[in-house]
Amino acid sequence: MSLIPHLSARKYLVLFASAPPTRTETSNVSVPVAEANLEDEDYDTSNPRRGYALIFNHVDFANCTKREGSDKDRDTIQNALEQLGFDVKVFNNLTNKELMDELEQYSKKDHSLNDCFVVVVMTHGEDGRLYAADKTYPTTDLWEPFVGDGCKTLIGKPKLFFVQACRGTKFDVGVKRSSPSPSIVTDTVDAFPVSSQRVCIIPAMADVLVMYSTYDGHYSWRNPVNGSWFIQSLCSELNQNAHRKELMQLLTSVSRRVAFYYQSNVPDNEKMDAKKQMPCIVSMLTKALYFPKKS
């Protein structure tokens, strides 16, 4: 069965090492957070609600090919997120303005009783841009309404973005490995003693994670019947391990599924045949995130 490369996205795991603190700096994009939370290693998931999960599914476009198989992804990820207790909202084939209006609306909601916030986007894409039904927009537009103090009730809470879209036209040809392969389905501020009266400042981009289905400049693959490699792998991990694994461990398993278990099968097109895919994570999370069952 032919697998269609669908303009998809990527995933980076970025590790930051800071130099010794030298001086105090202030920034108008930093946001205050309660100091009582600084020693916690895990995000608070004891809130009454899991949170909102927005799914933006794009199949039909004004100037692009139809994304066959995306509805399969939509239904699968909706079910997986609902099983986790998210309040899932699905949007199909929105224009750029409609999509931005929805993001703005949810950035103004009260998330005080929620654990976290999720956005899933499935569309065509190119380097740094995604497609709405009518035109493209910068990928950063997805999270800008929610970072810093853009959404005060999400400060200190994890904000997760999953992007299924291409980021270029390159193909990953893969490399051979000697061990047996699995079965393939086709800077800083001065240190200071904290006190209960002091309000701590956190970076504006703290507590954001973006996972892309592929890395910069490359295609992302989608089966017209079975859906995309990335979304289907993400759903499998959520369904099987969401209550057992910490988020980064779970997402590493998603990457392993995509990287090892899938390969394109387009025998009539040598350029596209037998190609691989590697998701990427950009993580600015500051704590471990678990999804315990809600009572």
Side-chain angles (χ1 to χ4, degrees):
M1 182 174 295
S2 175
L3 289 165
I4 301 174
H6 127 70
L7 297 168
S8 246
R10 75 167 172 202
K11 142 188 173 178
Y12 314 88
L13 177 57
V14 182
L15 305 178
F16 297 92
S18 62
T22 56
R23 60 193 177 92
T24 301
E25 295 180 352
T26 60
S27 170
N28 59 5
V29 298
S30 298
V31 294
V33 66
E35 251 181 44
N37 298 329
L38 291 180
E39 299 303 318
D40 295 339
E41 294 186 355
D42 300 346
Y43 284 107
D44 179 16
T45 54
S46 64
N47 294 287
R49 300 194 294 259
R50 187 77 72 195
Y52 294 109
L54 312 184
I55 299 174
F56 296 100
N57 177 48
H58 294 272
V59 176
D60 299 310
F61 303 84
N63 300 301
C64 294
T65 57
K66 188 172 184 177
R67 294 184 63 254
E68 299 285 359
S70 190
D71 286 346
K72 169 74 171 179
D73 282 347
R74 175 200 61 198
D75 296 343
T76 309
I77 190 65
Q78 178 181 2
N79 179 70
L81 292 171
E82 287 177 343
Q83 292 298 312
L84 273 179
F86 281 97
D87 183 357
V88 181
K89 308 295 182 183
V90 176
F91 306 93
N92 293 294
N93 302 318
L94 297 189
T95 65
N96 179 65
K97 184 180 186 305
E98 291 170 337
L99 193 154
M100 295 305 144
D101 286 347
E102 291 294 341
L103 292 174
E104 184 69 19
Q105 176 184 336
Y106 277 87
S107 73
K108 295 178 179 178
K109 286 184 178 290
D110 186 356
H111 301 260
S112 300
L113 300 180
N114 300 344
D115 291 340
C116 58
F117 177 70
V118 170
V119 172
V120 180
V121 179
M122 302 174 294
T123 186
H124 286 314
E126 55 195 38
D127 190 17
R129 301 189 71 82
L130 299 172
Y131 282 73
D134 56 342
K135 63 180 182 179
T136 68
Y137 60 93
T139 308
T140 53
D141 282 1
L142 292 176
W143 51 82
E144 282 185 346
F146 304 97
V147 300
D149 58 359
C151 181
K152 294 185 183 297
T153 55
L154 279 176
I155 292 174
K157 296 185 178 185
K159 296 162 279 287
L160 314 177
F161 299 84
F162 298 94
V163 182
Q164 165 61 38
C166 285
R167 307 190 67 225
T169 59
K170 297 179 182 177
F171 293 106
D172 189 330
V173 299
V175 293
K176 293 183 179 180
R177 51 182 287 173
S178 56
S179 57
S181 298
S183 300
I184 294 177
V185 182
T186 320
D187 198 56
T188 61
V189 296
D190 280 337
F192 51 80
V194 298
S195 68
S196 58
Q197 286 75 37
R198 183 182 290 276
V199 175
C200 184
I201 300 297
I202 64 172
M205 285 297 294
D207 308 305
V208 173
L209 179 143
V210 184
M211 186 170 187
Y212 297 94
S213 61
T214 191
Y215 60 98
D216 195 12
H218 284 73
Y219 270 113
S220 183
W221 294 86
R222 168 178 38 87
N223 186 285
V225 175
N226 298 323
S228 65
W229 302 355
F230 173 63
I231 294 295
Q232 294 301 314
S233 296
L234 175 60
C235 292
S236 293
E237 279 298 320
L238 289 174
N239 290 333
Q240 297 174 27
N241 297 308
H243 297 311
R244 186 173 67 88
K245 293 182 178 180
E246 193 275 330
L247 179 66
M248 291 304 300
Q249 183 186 18
L250 186 148
L251 296 183
T252 299
S253 296
V254 173
S255 294
R256 183 169 61 252
R257 283 177 179 265
V258 175
F260 292 170
Y261 297 164
Y262 289 89
Q263 181 172 296
S264 66
N265 180 29
V266 193
D268 58 343
N269 188 328
E270 183 178 353
K271 179 182 177 182
M272 298 171 64
D273 190 38
K275 298 303 184 285
K276 304 294 291 185
Q277 181 175 320
M278 188 66 241
C280 294
I281 300 169
V282 181
S283 177
M284 285 76 74
L285 297 183
T286 58
K287 302 177 184 180
L289 176 59
Y290 295 89
F291 294 106
K293 294 181 179 180
K294 292 289 186 183
S295 57

